[in-house]
Amino acid sequence: MWFAIVGTDVPESLDKRKSARPEHLARLEKLQAEGRLLLAGPFPAIESEDPGPAGFTGSLIIAEFPSQADAQRWADADPYVAAGVYAGVEVKPFRKTLP
């Protein structure tokens, strides 16, 4: 089943994000290679593709896992969690309808 993983950033998270980003992306690339990633990306803090120093307010990942518990374990092991980027992470089942 698909699961939506929503990470909410702590204030002033940009430097932490930058340092943990290579490891974070490597995990997403692994999901993609396995055919389990629907989409992933950050929420810019301002209306801009490149928010610069304004940074980001969080991230959305939609990926396939055998269970919600598996998705939660994967999310809890994210380098952004370890680096203190996220204030919290929420995992919810997701049903793709369109397109």
Side-chain angles (χ1 to χ4, degrees):
M1 177 167 204
W2 295 109
F3 292 90
I5 300 168
V6 181
T8 303
D9 282 25
V10 299
E12 308 295 325
S13 64
L14 188 56
D15 288 339
K16 292 176 184 178
R17 267 185 172 269
K18 287 179 180 178
S19 66
R21 189 169 191 262
E23 289 177 81
H24 173 77
L25 288 179
R27 295 178 83 232
L28 293 172
E29 289 166 353
K30 183 175 186 293
L31 285 178
Q32 185 176 20
E34 294 169 352
R36 297 172 44 209
L37 183 66
L38 185 62
L39 65 86
F43 299 119
I46 59 173
E47 188 177 343
S48 174
E49 284 289 318
D50 180 5
F56 301 91
T57 62
S59 303
L60 171 65
I61 299 164
I62 300 180
E64 187 175 35
F65 292 92
S67 70
Q68 188 165 354
D70 289 323
Q72 187 69 60
R73 277 190 290 279
W74 186 90
D76 291 343
D78 193 289
Y80 281 178
V81 172
V85 173
Y86 292 151
V89 178
E90 186 174 11
V91 177
K92 294 181 174 188
F94 178 80
R95 189 184 74 183
K96 183 177 185 284
T97 302
L98 293 172

Coordinates of all heavy atoms in Angstrom, one line a residue:
M1 N 0.8 -1.2 0.0 CA 0.0 0.0 0.0 C 0.9 1.2 0.0 O 2.0 1.2 0.5 CB -0.9 0.0 1.2 CG -1.8 1.2 1.4 SD -3.1 1.0 2.6 CE -4.2 2.2 2.0
W2 N 0.3 2.3 -0.6 CA 1.0 3.6 -0.5 C 0.8 4.3 0.8 O -0.2 4.1 1.5 CB 0.5 4.6 -1.6 CG 0.7 4.1 -3.0 CD1 -0.3 3.6 -3.9 CD2 1.9 4.1 -3.7 NE1 0.3 3.3 -5.1 CE2 1.6 3.6 -5.0 CE3 3.2 4.4 -3.4 CZ2 2.6 3.5 -6.0 CZ3 4.2 4.3 -4.3 CH2 3.9 3.8 -5.6
F3 N 1.9 5.0 1.3 CA 1.8 5.8 2.5 C 2.4 7.2 2.3 O 3.4 7.3 1.6 CB 2.6 5.1 3.6 CG 1.9 3.8 4.1 CD1 2.3 2.6 3.5 CD2 1.0 3.8 5.1 CE1 1.6 1.4 3.9 CE2 0.3 2.7 5.5 CZ 0.7 1.5 4.9
A4 N 1.7 8.2 2.8 CA 2.2 9.6 2.8 C 3.0 9.8 4.0 O 2.5 9.6 5.2 CB 1.0 10.5 2.7
I5 N 4.2 10.3 3.9 CA 5.0 10.6 5.0 C 5.3 12.1 4.9 O 5.8 12.6 4.0 CB 6.4 9.8 4.9 CG1 6.1 8.3 4.9 CG2 7.3 10.2 6.0 CD1 7.3 7.5 4.5
V6 N 4.8 12.8 6.0 CA 4.9 14.2 6.0 C 5.8 14.6 7.2 O 5.5 14.4 8.4 CB 3.5 14.9 6.2 CG1 3.7 16.4 6.2 CG2 2.6 14.4 5.1
G7 N 6.9 15.2 6.9 CA 7.9 15.7 7.9 C 7.7 17.2 8.0 O 7.6 17.9 7.0
T8 N 7.6 17.7 9.2 CA 7.5 19.1 9.5 C 8.8 19.6 10.1 O 9.2 19.1 11.1 CB 6.3 19.4 10.5 OG1 5.1 18.8 9.9 CG2 6.1 20.8 10.7
D9 N 9.4 20.6 9.5 CA 10.7 21.1 9.9 C 10.6 21.9 11.2 O 9.6 22.6 11.5 CB 11.3 22.0 8.8 CG 11.9 21.2 7.7 OD1 11.4 20.1 7.4 OD2 12.8 21.8 7.0
V10 N 11.7 21.9 11.9 CA 11.9 22.8 13.0 C 12.2 24.2 12.4 O 12.6 24.2 11.3 CB 13.1 22.3 14.0 CG1 12.8 21.0 14.6 CG2 14.4 22.3 13.2
P11 N 12.1 25.2 13.2 CA 12.5 26.5 12.6 C 14.0 26.6 12.3 O 14.8 25.9 13.0 CB 12.2 27.5 13.8 CG 11.1 26.8 14.6 CD 11.4 25.3 14.5
E12 N 14.4 27.3 11.3 CA 15.8 27.5 11.0 C 16.5 26.1 10.6 O 17.6 25.9 11.1 CB 16.5 28.2 12.1 CG 15.9 29.5 12.6 CD 15.9 30.6 11.5 OE1 16.9 30.7 10.7 OE2 14.9 31.3 11.5
S13 N 15.8 25.3 9.9 CA 16.3 24.0 9.6 C 17.2 23.9 8.4 O 17.8 22.8 8.1 CB 15.1 23.0 9.3 OG 14.4 23.4 8.2
L14 N 17.4 25.0 7.6 CA 18.1 24.9 6.3 C 19.5 24.3 6.4 O 19.8 23.4 5.6 CB 18.1 26.3 5.7 CG 18.6 26.3 4.2 CD1 17.8 25.4 3.3 CD2 18.6 27.7 3.7
D15 N 20.3 24.8 7.4 CA 21.7 24.2 7.5 C 21.7 22.7 7.8 O 22.5 22.0 7.2 CB 22.5 25.0 8.5 CG 22.8 26.4 8.0 OD1 22.8 26.6 6.8 OD2 23.1 27.3 8.9
K16 N 20.8 22.3 8.7 CA 20.7 20.9 9.0 C 20.2 20.1 7.8 O 20.7 19.0 7.5 CB 19.7 20.7 10.1 CG 20.1 21.3 11.5 CD 19.0 21.1 12.5 CE 19.5 21.8 13.8 NZ 18.4 21.7 14.8
R17 N 19.3 20.6 7.0 CA 18.8 20.0 5.8 C 20.0 19.8 4.8 O 20.1 18.7 4.3 CB 17.8 20.9 5.1 CG 16.3 20.5 5.5 CD 15.4 21.4 4.6 NE 14.1 20.9 4.8 CZ 13.5 20.0 4.1 NH1 14.1 19.4 3.1 NH2 12.2 19.6 4.4
K18 N 20.7 20.8 4.6 CA 21.8 20.8 3.7 C 22.8 19.7 4.0 O 23.3 19.0 3.2 CB 22.5 22.1 3.5 CG 21.7 23.2 2.8 CD 22.4 24.5 2.7 CE 21.7 25.5 2.0 NZ 22.4 26.8 2.0
S19 N 23.1 19.6 5.3 CA 24.2 18.6 5.7 C 23.6 17.2 5.6 O 24.4 16.3 5.3 CB 24.7 18.9 7.1 OG 23.7 18.7 8.1
A20 N 22.4 16.9 5.9 CA 21.8 15.6 5.8 C 21.2 15.2 4.5 O 20.9 14.0 4.3 CB 20.7 15.5 6.9
R21 N 21.1 16.1 3.6 CA 20.5 15.9 2.3 C 21.0 14.7 1.5 O 20.3 13.9 0.9 CB 20.5 17.2 1.4 CG 19.6 17.1 0.2 CD 19.4 18.5 -0.4 NE 18.4 18.4 -1.4 CZ 18.6 18.3 -2.7 NH1 19.9 18.2 -3.2 NH2 17.6 18.2 -3.6
P22 N 22.4 14.6 1.3 CA 22.9 13.5 0.5 C 22.4 12.1 1.0 O 22.0 11.3 0.2 CB 24.4 13.6 0.6 CG 24.6 15.1 0.9 CD 23.5 15.5 1.7
E23 N 22.4 11.9 2.3 CA 21.9 10.6 2.9 C 20.4 10.5 2.7 O 19.9 9.4 2.4 CB 22.3 10.5 4.3 CG 23.7 10.3 4.6 CD 24.0 10.3 6.1 OE1 23.8 9.2 6.7 OE2 24.4 11.3 6.7
H24 N 19.7 11.6 2.9 CA 18.2 11.6 2.7 C 17.9 11.2 1.3 O 17.0 10.3 1.0 CB 17.7 13.0 3.1 CG 16.3 13.2 2.8 ND1 15.3 12.7 3.6 CD2 15.6 13.9 1.8 CE1 14.1 13.0 3.1 NE2 14.3 13.8 2.0
L25 N 18.5 11.8 0.3 CA 18.3 11.5 -1.1 C 18.6 10.1 -1.5 O 18.0 9.5 -2.3 CB 19.0 12.5 -2.0 CG 18.5 13.9 -2.0 CD1 19.3 14.8 -2.9 CD2 17.0 14.0 -2.4
A26 N 19.7 9.6 -0.9 CA 20.1 8.2 -1.2 C 19.1 7.2 -0.8 O 18.8 6.3 -1.6 CB 21.4 7.9 -0.5
R27 N 18.4 7.4 0.3 CA 17.3 6.5 0.7 C 16.1 6.6 -0.3 O 15.5 5.6 -0.6 CB 16.8 6.9 2.1 CG 17.9 6.6 3.1 CD 17.5 7.0 4.5 NE 16.7 5.9 5.1 CZ 15.5 6.0 5.6 NH1 14.9 7.2 5.7 NH2 14.9 5.0 6.1
L28 N 15.8 7.9 -0.7 CA 14.7 8.0 -1.7 C 15.1 7.4 -3.0 O 14.2 6.8 -3.7 CB 14.4 9.5 -1.8 CG 13.8 10.2 -0.6 CD1 13.8 11.7 -0.9 CD2 12.5 9.7 -0.3
E29 N 16.3 7.5 -3.4 CA 16.7 6.9 -4.7 C 16.7 5.4 -4.6 O 16.3 4.8 -5.6 CB 18.2 7.4 -5.1 CG 18.2 8.9 -5.5 CD 19.6 9.5 -5.5 OE1 20.5 8.8 -5.1 OE2 19.7 10.6 -5.9
K30 N 16.9 4.8 -3.5 CA 16.8 3.4 -3.3 C 15.3 3.0 -3.5 O 15.0 2.0 -4.2 CB 17.3 3.0 -1.9 CG 17.3 1.5 -1.7 CD 17.9 1.1 -0.4 CE 18.0 -0.4 -0.1 NZ 16.8 -1.0 0.0
L31 N 14.4 3.7 -2.8 CA 13.0 3.4 -3.0 C 12.6 3.5 -4.5 O 11.8 2.7 -5.0 CB 12.1 4.4 -2.2 CG 12.0 4.2 -0.7 CD1 11.2 5.3 -0.1 CD2 11.5 2.8 -0.3
Q32 N 13.1 4.6 -5.2 CA 12.8 4.8 -6.6 C 13.3 3.6 -7.4 O 12.6 3.1 -8.3 CB 13.4 6.1 -7.1 CG 13.0 6.4 -8.5 CD 13.5 7.8 -8.9 OE1 14.4 8.3 -8.4 NE2 12.9 8.3 -10.0
A33 N 14.5 3.2 -7.2 CA 15.1 2.0 -7.9 C 14.3 0.7 -7.7 O 14.2 -0.1 -8.6 CB 16.5 1.8 -7.5
E34 N 13.7 0.6 -6.5 CA 12.8 -0.5 -6.2 C 11.4 -0.4 -6.8 O 10.6 -1.3 -6.6 CB 12.8 -0.7 -4.7 CG 14.1 -1.1 -4.1 CD 14.1 -1.1 -2.6 OE1 13.1 -0.6 -2.0 OE2 15.1 -1.5 -2.0
G35 N 11.1 0.8 -7.4 CA 9.8 1.0 -7.9 C 8.7 1.3 -6.8 O 7.5 1.1 -7.1
R36 N 9.2 1.8 -5.7 CA 8.3 2.0 -4.5 C 8.0 3.5 -4.2 O 7.4 3.8 -3.3 CB 8.9 1.3 -3.3 CG 8.9 -0.2 -3.5 CD 9.7 -0.9 -2.4 NE 9.3 -0.4 -1.1 CZ 10.1 -0.4 0.0 NH1 11.3 -0.8 -0.1 NH2 9.6 0.1 1.2
L37 N 8.6 4.4 -5.0 CA 8.4 5.8 -4.8 C 7.5 6.4 -5.8 O 7.7 6.3 -7.0 CB 9.8 6.5 -4.8 CG 9.8 8.0 -4.5 CD1 9.4 8.2 -3.0 CD2 11.2 8.6 -4.8
L38 N 6.4 7.0 -5.3 CA 5.5 7.7 -6.1 C 5.9 9.1 -6.4 O 5.9 9.6 -7.5 CB 4.1 7.7 -5.5 CG 2.9 8.2 -6.4 CD1 2.8 7.5 -7.7 CD2 1.6 8.2 -5.6
L39 N 6.3 9.8 -5.3 CA 6.8 11.2 -5.4 C 7.4 11.6 -4.1 O 7.2 11.0 -3.0 CB 5.7 12.2 -5.7 CG 4.5 12.4 -4.8 CD1 4.9 13.5 -3.7 CD2 3.3 12.9 -5.5
A40 N 8.3 12.6 -4.1 CA 8.9 13.1 -2.9 C 9.4 14.5 -3.2 O 9.8 14.9 -4.3 CB 10.1 12.3 -2.6
G41 N 9.3 15.4 -2.2 CA 9.8 16.7 -2.4 C 9.5 17.6 -1.1 O 8.7 17.2 -0.3
P42 N 10.2 18.7 -1.0 CA 10.1 19.6 0.1 C 9.0 20.6 -0.1 O 8.5 20.9 -1.2 CB 11.4 20.3 0.2 CG 11.8 20.4 -1.3 CD 11.3 19.2 -1.9
F43 N 8.5 21.3 1.0 CA 7.6 22.4 1.0 C 8.4 23.7 1.2 O 8.9 23.9 2.3 CB 6.6 22.3 2.1 CG 5.8 21.0 2.1 CD1 5.8 20.1 3.2 CD2 4.9 20.8 1.1 CE1 5.0 19.0 3.2 CE2 4.1 19.7 1.1 CZ 4.1 18.8 2.1
P44 N 8.6 24.5 0.1 CA 9.3 25.7 0.2 C 8.6 26.6 1.2 O 7.4 26.7 1.3 CB 9.3 26.3 -1.2 CG 9.1 25.2 -2.1 CD 8.2 24.2 -1.3
A45 N 9.4 27.4 2.0 CA 8.8 28.3 3.0 C 8.1 29.5 2.3 O 7.3 30.2 3.0 CB 9.9 28.8 4.0
I46 N 8.5 29.8 1.1 CA 7.9 30.9 0.3 C 7.5 30.4 -1.1 O 7.9 29.3 -1.5 CB 8.8 32.1 0.2 CG1 10.1 31.7 -0.5 CG2 9.1 32.7 1.6 CD1 11.0 32.9 -0.8
E47 N 6.7 31.1 -1.8 CA 6.3 30.7 -3.1 C 7.4 30.9 -4.1 O 7.5 31.9 -4.8 CB 5.0 31.5 -3.5 CG 4.4 31.0 -4.8 CD 3.1 31.8 -5.1 OE1 2.6 32.5 -4.2 OE2 2.7 31.8 -6.3
S48 N 8.3 29.8 -4.1 CA 9.4 29.9 -5.0 C 10.0 28.5 -5.2 O 10.0 27.7 -4.2 CB 10.5 30.8 -4.4 OG 11.6 30.8 -5.2
E49 N 10.4 28.2 -6.4 CA 11.1 26.9 -6.6 C 12.4 26.8 -5.8 O 12.8 25.8 -5.3 CB 11.4 26.7 -8.1 CG 10.3 26.3 -8.9 CD 9.8 24.9 -8.7 OE1 10.6 24.0 -8.6 OE2 8.5 24.8 -8.7
D50 N 13.1 27.9 -5.7 CA 14.3 28.0 -4.9 C 14.1 29.1 -3.8 O 14.3 30.3 -4.1 CB 15.5 28.4 -5.8 CG 16.8 28.5 -5.0 OD1 16.8 28.2 -3.8 OD2 17.8 28.9 -5.6
P51 N 13.7 28.7 -2.6 CA 13.4 29.7 -1.6 C 14.6 30.3 -0.9 O 14.4 31.2 -0.1 CB 12.6 28.9 -0.5 CG 13.2 27.5 -0.7 CD 13.5 27.3 -2.1
G52 N 15.8 29.9 -1.3 CA 17.0 30.6 -0.8 C 17.0 30.4 0.7 O 16.7 29.4 1.3
P53 N 17.4 31.5 1.4 CA 17.6 31.4 2.9 C 16.3 31.2 3.6 O 16.3 30.9 4.8 CB 18.2 32.8 3.3 CG 18.1 33.6 2.1 CD 17.9 32.8 0.9
A54 N 15.1 31.4 3.0 CA 13.8 31.2 3.6 C 13.7 29.7 3.9 O 13.0 29.3 4.9 CB 12.7 31.6 2.7
G55 N 14.3 28.8 3.1 CA 14.4 27.4 3.4 C 13.0 26.7 3.1 O 12.3 27.1 2.3
F56 N 12.8 25.7 3.9 CA 11.6 24.8 3.7 C 10.9 24.6 5.1 O 11.5 24.8 6.1 CB 12.1 23.5 3.2 CG 12.9 23.6 1.9 CD1 14.2 23.8 1.8 CD2 12.2 23.6 0.7 CE1 14.9 24.0 0.6 CE2 12.8 23.8 -0.5 CZ 14.2 24.0 -0.6
T57 N 9.7 24.2 4.9 CA 8.9 24.0 6.1 C 8.6 22.5 6.4 O 8.0 22.1 7.4 CB 7.5 24.7 6.1 OG1 6.8 24.2 4.9 CG2 7.7 26.2 5.9
G58 N 9.0 21.6 5.5 CA 8.8 20.2 5.6 C 9.0 19.5 4.3 O 9.5 20.0 3.3
S59 N 8.5 18.2 4.3 CA 8.7 17.4 3.1 C 7.5 16.4 3.0 O 6.9 16.1 4.0 CB 9.9 16.5 3.2 OG 11.1 17.3 3.4
L60 N 7.2 16.0 1.8 CA 6.2 15.0 1.5 C 6.9 13.9 0.7 O 7.6 14.1 -0.3 CB 5.1 15.6 0.7 CG 4.0 14.6 0.2 CD1 3.3 13.9 1.3 CD2 3.1 15.3 -0.8
I61 N 6.7 12.6 1.2 CA 7.1 11.4 0.5 C 5.9 10.5 0.4 O 5.2 10.3 1.4 CB 8.2 10.7 1.3 CG1 9.4 11.6 1.4 CG2 8.6 9.4 0.6 CD1 10.4 11.2 2.5
I62 N 5.6 10.0 -0.8 CA 4.6 9.0 -1.0 C 5.3 7.8 -1.5 O 5.9 7.8 -2.6 CB 3.4 9.5 -1.8 CG1 2.8 10.7 -1.2 CG2 2.4 8.4 -2.0 CD1 1.6 11.3 -2.0
A63 N 5.3 6.7 -0.7 CA 6.0 5.5 -1.1 C 5.2 4.3 -0.7 O 4.3 4.4 0.2 CB 7.4 5.5 -0.5
E64 N 5.6 3.2 -1.3 CA 4.9 1.9 -1.0 C 5.7 1.1 0.1 O 6.9 1.0 0.0 CB 4.8 1.1 -2.3 CG 4.0 -0.2 -2.2 CD 3.9 -0.8 -3.5 OE1 4.8 -0.8 -4.3 OE2 2.8 -1.4 -3.8
F65 N 4.9 0.6 1.1 CA 5.5 -0.2 2.1 C 4.5 -1.3 2.4 O 3.3 -1.2 2.2 CB 5.7 0.6 3.4 CG 6.8 1.7 3.3 CD1 6.5 2.9 2.9 CD2 8.1 1.3 3.5 CE1 7.5 3.9 2.7 CE2 9.1 2.3 3.4 CZ 8.8 3.6 3.0
P66 N 4.9 -2.5 3.0 CA 4.0 -3.5 3.3 C 3.0 -3.2 4.4 O 1.9 -3.7 4.3 CB 5.0 -4.7 3.8 CG 6.3 -4.3 3.3 CD 6.3 -2.8 3.2
S67 N 3.3 -2.3 5.3 CA 2.4 -1.9 6.3 C 2.7 -0.5 6.8 O 3.8 0.0 6.6 CB 2.5 -2.9 7.5 OG 3.8 -2.7 8.2
Q68 N 1.8 0.1 7.6 CA 2.0 1.4 8.2 C 3.2 1.4 9.1 O 4.0 2.3 9.2 CB 0.8 1.9 8.8 CG 0.9 3.4 9.2 CD -0.4 4.1 9.6 OE1 -1.5 3.5 9.4 NE2 -0.4 5.3 10.0
A69 N 3.3 0.3 9.9 CA 4.4 0.1 10.8 C 5.7 0.1 10.1 O 6.7 0.8 10.6 CB 4.2 -1.2 11.6
D70 N 5.8 -0.5 8.9 CA 7.0 -0.5 8.1 C 7.3 0.9 7.6 O 8.5 1.3 7.7 CB 6.9 -1.5 7.0 CG 7.0 -2.9 7.4 OD1 7.7 -3.3 8.3 OD2 6.2 -3.7 6.7
A71 N 6.3 1.6 7.2 CA 6.5 3.0 6.7 C 7.0 3.9 7.9 O 7.9 4.7 7.7 CB 5.2 3.5 6.1
Q72 N 6.4 3.7 9.0 CA 6.8 4.5 10.2 C 8.3 4.2 10.6 O 9.0 5.1 10.9 CB 5.9 4.2 11.4 CG 6.1 5.1 12.6 CD 5.7 6.6 12.3 OE1 4.6 6.8 12.0 NE2 6.7 7.5 12.4
R73 N 8.7 2.9 10.6 CA 10.1 2.6 10.9 C 11.0 3.2 9.9 O 12.1 3.8 10.2 CB 10.3 1.1 10.9 CG 9.9 0.4 12.2 CD 10.3 -1.0 12.3 NE 9.5 -1.9 11.4 CZ 8.3 -2.4 11.7 NH1 7.8 -2.1 12.8 NH2 7.7 -3.1 10.8
W74 N 10.6 3.2 8.6 CA 11.5 3.8 7.6 C 11.6 5.3 7.8 O 12.6 5.9 7.7 CB 10.9 3.5 6.2 CG 11.7 4.0 5.1 CD1 12.7 3.2 4.4 CD2 11.7 5.2 4.4 NE1 13.3 4.0 3.5 CE2 12.7 5.3 3.4 CE3 11.0 6.4 4.6 CZ2 13.0 6.3 2.6 CZ3 11.2 7.5 3.8 CH2 12.2 7.5 2.9
A75 N 10.4 5.9 8.1 CA 10.4 7.4 8.3 C 11.2 7.8 9.5 O 12.0 8.8 9.5 CB 9.0 7.9 8.5
D76 N 11.1 7.0 10.6 CA 11.9 7.3 11.8 C 13.4 7.2 11.7 O 14.1 7.8 12.4 CB 11.4 6.3 13.0 CG 10.0 6.6 13.4 OD1 9.5 7.7 13.1 OD2 9.4 5.7 14.1
A77 N 13.8 6.4 10.7 CA 15.2 6.2 10.4 C 15.8 7.2 9.4 O 17.0 7.1 9.0 CB 15.5 4.8 9.9
D78 N 15.0 8.2 9.0 CA 15.4 9.1 8.0 C 16.5 10.0 8.5 O 16.5 10.4 9.7 CB 14.2 10.0 7.6 CG 14.6 10.8 6.3 OD1 15.4 11.8 6.4 OD2 14.0 10.5 5.3
P79 N 17.6 10.3 7.7 CA 18.7 11.2 8.2 C 18.2 12.5 8.6 O 18.8 13.2 9.5 CB 19.6 11.3 7.0 CG 19.3 10.0 6.2 CD 17.9 9.7 6.4
Y80 N 17.1 13.0 8.1 CA 16.6 14.3 8.5 C 16.1 14.2 10.0 O 16.1 15.2 10.7 CB 15.4 14.8 7.6 CG 15.9 15.4 6.3 CD1 14.9 15.9 5.4 CD2 17.2 15.6 6.0 CE1 15.3 16.5 4.2 CE2 17.6 16.2 4.8 CZ 16.7 16.7 3.9 OH 17.1 17.3 2.8
V81 N 15.6 13.1 10.4 CA 15.2 12.9 11.8 C 16.4 12.9 12.7 O 16.5 13.6 13.7 CB 14.4 11.6 12.0 CG1 14.1 11.3 13.5 CG2 13.0 11.6 11.2
A82 N 17.4 12.1 12.3 CA 18.6 12.1 13.1 C 19.3 13.4 13.2 O 19.9 13.8 14.2 CB 19.6 11.0 12.5
A83 N 19.3 14.2 12.1 CA 19.9 15.5 12.1 C 19.1 16.6 12.8 O 19.6 17.8 12.9 CB 20.2 16.0 10.6
G84 N 17.9 16.3 13.2 CA 17.1 17.3 13.9 C 16.4 18.3 13.0 O 16.0 19.3 13.4
V85 N 16.2 17.9 11.7 CA 15.5 18.7 10.7 C 14.0 18.8 11.0 O 13.4 19.8 11.0 CB 15.8 18.3 9.3 CG1 14.9 19.0 8.3 CG2 17.2 18.4 8.9
Y86 N 13.5 17.6 11.3 CA 12.1 17.4 11.5 C 11.7 17.6 13.0 O 12.3 16.9 13.9 CB 11.6 16.1 11.0 CG 11.6 15.8 9.6 CD1 11.8 14.6 9.1 CD2 11.4 16.9 8.6 CE1 11.8 14.3 7.7 CE2 11.5 16.6 7.3 CZ 11.6 15.3 6.8 OH 11.6 15.1 5.5
A87 N 10.7 18.4 13.2 CA 10.1 18.5 14.6 C 9.1 17.3 14.8 O 9.0 16.8 15.9 CB 9.3 19.8 14.7
G88 N 8.6 16.7 13.7 CA 7.7 15.6 13.8 C 7.5 15.0 12.4 O 7.7 15.7 11.4
V89 N 7.1 13.7 12.4 CA 6.8 13.0 11.1 C 5.5 12.3 11.3 O 5.3 11.6 12.3 CB 8.0 12.0 10.8 CG1 7.6 11.2 9.5 CG2 9.3 12.7 10.6
E90 N 4.6 12.5 10.3 CA 3.3 11.8 10.3 C 3.3 10.8 9.2 O 3.7 11.2 8.0 CB 2.2 12.8 10.2 CG 0.8 12.2 10.4 CD -0.2 13.3 10.4 OE1 0.0 14.5 10.1 OE2 -1.4 12.9 10.8
V91 N 2.8 9.6 9.4 CA 2.6 8.6 8.4 C 1.2 8.2 8.3 O 0.5 7.9 9.3 CB 3.5 7.4 8.7 CG1 3.3 6.3 7.6 CG2 5.0 7.7 8.8
K92 N 0.6 8.3 7.0 CA -0.8 8.0 6.8 C -0.9 7.1 5.6 O -0.2 7.3 4.6 CB -1.6 9.3 6.5 CG -1.7 10.3 7.7 CD -2.5 11.5 7.2 CE -2.8 12.4 8.3 NZ -3.8 13.4 8.0
P93 N -1.9 6.2 5.6 CA -2.2 5.4 4.4 C -2.6 6.4 3.3 O -3.3 7.4 3.6 CB -3.3 4.5 4.8 CG -3.2 4.4 6.3 CD -2.7 5.7 6.7
F94 N -2.3 6.1 2.1 CA -2.6 6.9 0.9 C -3.2 6.1 -0.2 O -2.6 5.1 -0.5 CB -1.4 7.7 0.4 CG -1.6 8.6 -0.7 CD1 -2.2 9.8 -0.6 CD2 -1.2 8.1 -2.0 CE1 -2.4 10.7 -1.7 CE2 -1.4 9.0 -3.1 CZ -2.0 10.2 -2.9
R95 N -4.3 6.5 -0.8 CA -4.9 5.8 -1.9 C -4.8 6.7 -3.1 O -5.4 7.8 -3.2 CB -6.3 5.4 -1.7 CG -6.9 4.5 -2.8 CD -8.3 4.2 -2.6 NE -9.1 5.4 -2.9 CZ -10.4 5.6 -2.8 NH1 -11.1 4.6 -2.3 NH2 -10.9 6.7 -3.2
K96 N -4.0 6.3 -4.1 CA -3.8 7.1 -5.3 C -5.1 6.9 -6.2 O -5.5 5.8 -6.5 CB -2.6 6.7 -6.1 CG -2.4 7.5 -7.4 CD -1.1 7.0 -8.0 CE -0.7 7.8 -9.2 NZ -1.5 7.6 -10.4
T97 N -5.7 8.0 -6.6 CA -6.9 8.0 -7.4 C -6.6 8.5 -8.8 O -7.0 7.9 -9.8 CB -8.1 8.8 -6.7 OG1 -8.3 8.3 -5.4 CG2 -9.3 8.7 -7.5
L98 N -6.0 9.7 -8.9 CA -5.7 10.3 -10.2 C -4.2 10.7 -10.2 O -3.7 11.1 -9.1 CB -6.6 11.5 -10.4 CG -8.1 11.2 -10.7 CD1 -8.9 12.5 -10.7 CD2 -8.3 10.4 -12.0
P99 N -3.6 10.9 -11.3 CA -4.0 10.4 -12.6 C -3.8 8.9 -12.7 O -3.1 8.3 -12.0 CB -3.0 11.1 -13.5 CG -1.8 11.4 -12.7 CD -2.3 11.5 -11.3

